[in-house]
Amino acid sequence: MSKCSPSGDPVGPAPTPTPQVVVTNEMDFWLTKGNQSVVLQKQTSILAFGATYNTYANIEVDDSKTFQTIDGFGYTLTGGSAQVINQLNTQKRQELLKELFGSDANSIAISYLRISIGASDLNAAPFTYDDLASGQTDMNLDNFSLAPDKTDLIPMLKEIVAINPNIKIMATPWSPPVWMKDNNGFIGGSLKPEYYAVYAKYFVKYIQTMKAEGITIDAVTPQNEPLHPGNNPSMLMIALHQADFIKNHLGPAFKAANLATKIVAYDHNCNKPEYPIAVLNDPAANPYVDGSAFHLYEGDISALSTVHNAFPNKNIYFTEQYTSSTGSFDGDLKWHVKNVIIGSMRNWSKTALEWNLANNASFGPNTPGGCTTCKGALTINSSDSFTRNVGYYIIAHASKFVPAGSVRISSNFSGNLNNVAFKTPSGKKVLIVENDGNTSEIFNIKYNGNWITTSLEAGSVGTYIW
């Protein structure tokens, strides 16, 4: 007679439970969509490496092949940007600066800033640090003063340095004091040869005075957009004159003052790689020049590689690109991530900088004749309200995940999937992907023989971290 349970049913061995396969997430994925339905959001999908074959395209990341070391991602902190951010109330302002420059979970960890020596066209009015009455000169720079920037810019830089002591700062003039120029005006003109030496001293004094304020200038360029003398302020400085200024005045002056600040040539569009090449070809200027800087209002981003290939021991910097008040979020996100972030990095740049950090609701302030359509990464609406614009997300997709000291590593292109990869100082791998096509794409991220399968909608940007 079989043994029965109290209910009369036969008792058999207990069924073996099916073991639950716990898949742990091995890759973080942050997403921004062109339609703004998702902006810089960490996705909850579980991404785990495997080796099950599929026919999707591969982006293969190889950290055995390394390229340039990254100095950082960020913006130009224009005088106007500092002025409008200072219109926020104390709490809102402090929260914003921590979000921009901090390193906690809610921050985007901006690691590089560009500032103007004197006014840029996104100041309310043009000025330099040694403005004199017409007809006067100041060969000893006795009148030199940072006073015009002590209300907004310099106090803000001190706060930023307190939040991120390692932030790197590049400084560039839009114009020297007008008494040094052949037209005695802020717009255009050229530096008179008899003032080359005093202008070099002006740079030295600027770097030393900023240092005394607790602000280290990592690099300078001799002139913003030296071939665009129509801005306010601006100055024409052809390659021959820039080489002369660097080799006979600026370089020796930095050396005599024992300054470690780098001198970076050019700082203008990708359509004229022959300009930085001419400066670097000058055998007396070359030793003083750390590298060259580029914008992309004209030309192609591959010009950075043209200059790198001519002088592989010199650095490359991408220092400015603006988003326009007339642009669209989806169009600007695609173009800027493709060119400014991925394009500059794949062409040897150590930095990728967008233009102004902030402006007011009417795209000001700006000088008379300065840019009226430059849309900052932020719009400051009132004392307690600001909007994050497309420029914020363009930079954040890199700055938040790729700290200074990261190294670019190899990754292959696959159709419409523009991408660039990095290894961070802590050993993490970061891949930034932009789907430049018109349809959603499924693809593999392959690393060390295994891969993760993921997808990106058309016009979307993803940053993947593992």
Side-chain angles (χ1 to χ4, degrees), residues 109-124:
I110 294 166
S111 47
Y112 205 101
L113 283 178
R114 182 171 174 246
I115 59 175
S116 59
I117 301 175
S120 75
D121 60 309
L122 295 189
N123 278 80

Side-chain angles (χ1 to χ4, degrees), residues 289-303:
V289 179
D290 172 84
S292 40
F294 296 86
H295 309 171
L296 188 57
Y297 303 113
E298 290 183 82
D300 187 89
I301 196 68
S302 62

Side-chain angles (χ1 to χ4, degrees), residues 294-410:
F294 296 86
H295 309 171
L296 188 57
Y297 303 113
E298 290 183 82
D300 187 89
I301 196 68
S302 62
L304 280 62
S305 280
T306 302
V307 178
H308 167 82
N309 293 338
F311 294 93
N313 63 328
K314 296 296 186 180
N315 290 314
I316 300 283
Y317 301 85
F318 189 91
T319 48
E320 182 187 317
Q321 195 70 18
Y322 89 105
T323 45
S324 172
S325 59
T326 58
S328 64
F329 187 99
D330 58 342
D332 284 341
L333 181 74
K334 279 176 70 167
W335 192 91
H336 284 250
V337 172
K338 176 184 176 178
N339 289 286
V340 174
I341 304 293
I342 294 168
S344 77
M345 291 289 135
R346 289 192 81 99
N347 287 283
W348 295 97
S349 186
K350 294 173 77 70
T351 60
L353 310 181
E354 287 279 316
W355 174 217
N356 53 318
L357 179 57
N359 50 241
N360 62 27
S362 52
F363 305 104
N366 55 269
T367 61
C371 184
T372 56
T373 56
C374 291
K375 183 201 280 187
L378 305 162
T379 302
I380 309 300
N381 304 310
S382 67
S383 64
D384 61 358
S385 157
F386 63 86
T387 308
R388 296 169 189 85
N389 300 321
V390 64
Y392 175 97
Y393 299 103
I394 292 162
I395 290 297
H397 260 280
S399 61
K400 186 173 175 68
F401 312 104
V402 185
S406 298
V407 175
R408 180 167 75 86
I409 55 177
S410 171

Side-chain angles (χ1 to χ4, degrees), residues 12 74-75 77 110 171 183 189 192 204 254 267 291 298 310-311 327 358 391:
Y75 304 91
L77 181 65
I110 294 166
N183 70 344
K192 290 165 90 167
V204 170
F254 277 24
D267 210 2
E298 290 183 82
F311 294 93

Side-chain angles (χ1 to χ4, degrees), residues 171-349:
T172 187
W174 266 239
S175 172
V178 301
W179 51 268
M180 298 185 191
K181 296 168 79 174
D182 59 10
N183 70 344
N184 278 299
F186 276 109
I187 301 172
S190 294
L191 185 64
K192 290 165 90 167
E194 61 263 36
Y195 293 116
Y196 276 27
V198 68
Y199 194 36
K201 195 156 57 167
Y202 179 91
F203 276 86
V204 170
K205 199 151 191 178
Y206 169 75
I207 292 162
Q208 291 172 335
T209 317
M210 288 294 272
K211 185 75 180 170
E213 295 283 349
I215 300 157
T216 301
I217 303 300
D218 185 68
V220 296
T221 65
Q223 173 61 41
N224 172 66
E225 300 195 337
L227 300 178
H228 174 36
N231 201 359
N232 183 18
S234 63
M235 185 174 74
L236 177 69
M237 183 183 263
I238 62 170
L240 182 72
H241 294 164
Q242 184 159 112
D244 179 6
F245 179 58
I246 290 170
K247 72 182 174 185
N248 293 316
H249 302 282
L250 193 62
F254 277 24
K255 196 175 176 184
N258 205 20
L259 297 179
T261 304
K262 304 173 184 95
I263 298 170
V264 178
Y266 192 44
D267 210 2
H268 207 173
N269 287 327
C270 288
N271 63 333
K272 293 269 194 277
E274 62 270 23
Y275 185 120
I277 287 171
V279 175
L280 291 165
N281 265 332
D282 186 307
N286 180 291
Y288 291 117
V289 179
D290 172 84
S292 40
F294 296 86
H295 309 171
L296 188 57
Y297 303 113
E298 290 183 82
D300 187 89
I301 196 68
S302 62
L304 280 62
S305 280
T306 302
V307 178
H308 167 82
N309 293 338
F311 294 93
N313 63 328
K314 296 296 186 180
N315 290 314
I316 300 283
Y317 301 85
F318 189 91
T319 48
E320 182 187 317
Q321 195 70 18
Y322 89 105
T323 45
S324 172
S325 59
T326 58
S328 64
F329 187 99
D330 58 342
D332 284 341
L333 181 74
K334 279 176 70 167
W335 192 91
H336 284 250
V337 172
K338 176 184 176 178
N339 289 286
V340 174
I341 304 293
I342 294 168
S344 77
M345 291 289 135
R346 289 192 81 99
N347 287 283
W348 295 97
S349 186

